[in-house]
Amino acid sequence: DTGVSQDPRHKITKRGQNVTFRCDPISEHNRLYWYRQTLGQGPEFLTYFQNEAQLEKSRLLSDRFSAERPKGSFSTLEIQRTEQGDSAMYLCASSPGARTEAFFGQGTRLTVV
Amino acid sequence: DQQVKQNSPSLSVQEGRISILNCDYTNSMFDYFLWYKKYPAEGPTFLISISSIKDKNEDGRFTVFLNKSAKHLSLHIVPSQPGDSAVYFCAAYTTSGTYKYIFGTGTRLKVLA
């Protein structure tokens, strides 16, 4: 399967713990996006990479959130000191260039208890 | 600031009839528009897109219409099928100064057999 892959699919964590999610984009897609989606809302932009460079970050991305794409291939999103308000579906997407569709992974469902 | 709006949270249509989903936007710098379909617990799946230099794009049962003067686009599904039942998201993209796709809040379509 050559789609966008996200791991894990589900994560339950206690408040205050750190979590890390991984995204493997479609190979040769140089653009990678992280979004967050909560119930009844559309996907909200978190951050964007072009190759290994993080070019844009949302105000939603507090200092507890950090994302990396060290070699321009896979990416990780880490949330430190999780809060209940972090519970959401975290979506990764990749695209080959501007004015093209982004392809989404299956998402990681985070539940903070 | 909701730059992309889907004012109808839900829509029910009889199988075989036309489904029309609407989307309004406020930013005149958007130059590329997309529709995504989402099933529960899955990531959004790309359906169809349209460039701002066009007013119509068709792909099988799906047609997207763009009215730039009204800052409005719509997705027509003809004929509607029960498998089309999902949440549909409108998204917009600009190549001016930002790199992100901005999503609406979605419309839940139910196609009744």
Side-chain angles (χ1 to χ4, degrees):
Chain A
D1 183 76
T2 57
V4 177
S5 176
Q6 292 189 245
D7 184 69
R9 292 289 307 276
H10 304 275
K11 178 72 177 178
I12 299 175
T13 191
K14 292 184 178 179
R15 189 176 51 177
Q17 298 293 305
N18 299 344
V19 293
T20 300
F21 310 141
R22 177 181 170 119
C23 171
D24 287 272
I26 295 171
S27 60
E28 298 179 359
H29 278 194
N30 60 5
R31 296 171 179 236
L32 186 146
Y33 301 82
W34 285 99
Y35 281 81
R36 179 173 70 186
Q37 186 175 19
T38 54
L39 199 62
Q41 300 297 315
E44 294 176 293
F45 172 80
L46 291 178
T47 191
Y48 159 75
F49 290 86
Q50 185 160 329
N51 299 312
E52 66 274 12
Q54 188 174 22
L55 296 185
E56 190 167 354
K57 289 169 59 174
S58 166
R59 290 189 303 270
L60 294 173
L61 218 65
S62 74
D63 56 4
R64 296 185 298 106
F65 289 72
S66 62
E68 293 183 343
R69 194 181 183 199
K71 296 182 180 179
S73 56
F74 75 92
S75 175
T76 58
L77 178 68
E78 180 182 18
I79 309 175
Q80 296 182 328
R81 305 181 303 281
T82 52
E83 302 172 356
Q84 286 190 317
D86 297 331
S87 296
M89 173 78 87
Y90 289 84
L91 296 163
C92 176
S94 69
S95 76
R99 294 197 195 88
T100 62
E101 61 269 26
F103 296 86
F104 282 83
Q106 300 273 52
T108 294
R109 168 72 64 187
L110 172 67
T111 302
V112 182
V113 297
Chain B
D1 178 22
Q2 193 72 23
Q3 297 186 65
V4 179
K5 301 179 185 179
Q6 294 176 258
N7 292 319
S8 298
S10 64
L11 175 69
S12 291
V13 172
Q14 285 295 129
E15 181 179 8
R17 306 294 292 267
I18 184 171
S19 295
I20 300 176
L21 297 97
N22 293 304
C23 178
D24 297 294
Y25 62 94
T26 58
N27 188 343
S28 59
M29 299 301 292
F30 288 142
D31 54 12
Y32 189 66
F33 302 90
L34 310 93
W35 284 94
Y36 283 83
K37 175 181 179 179
K38 188 178 183 303
Y39 293 117
E42 293 186 9
T45 302
F46 170 73
L47 269 179
I48 192 169
S49 62
I50 188 167
S51 166
S52 61
I53 62 174
K54 296 186 175 181
D55 56 18
K56 177 182 174 182
N57 189 28
E58 192 171 352
D59 184 2
R61 296 185 299 115
F62 301 93
T63 303
V64 55
F65 295 92
L66 175 62
N67 183 334
K68 285 181 63 179
S69 61
K71 295 192 178 66
H72 177 84
L73 64 156
S74 60
L75 174 68
H76 293 209
I77 307 173
V78 183
S80 301
Q81 300 172 353
D84 295 330
S85 297
V87 178
Y88 289 78
F89 292 99
C90 168
Y93 184 89
T94 174
T95 52
S96 300
T98 185
Y99 306 94
K100 56 183 178 272
Y101 300 83
I102 298 176
F103 286 81
T105 52
T107 296
R108 181 176 301 279
L109 174 65
K110 183 179 287 188
V111 180
L112 307 171

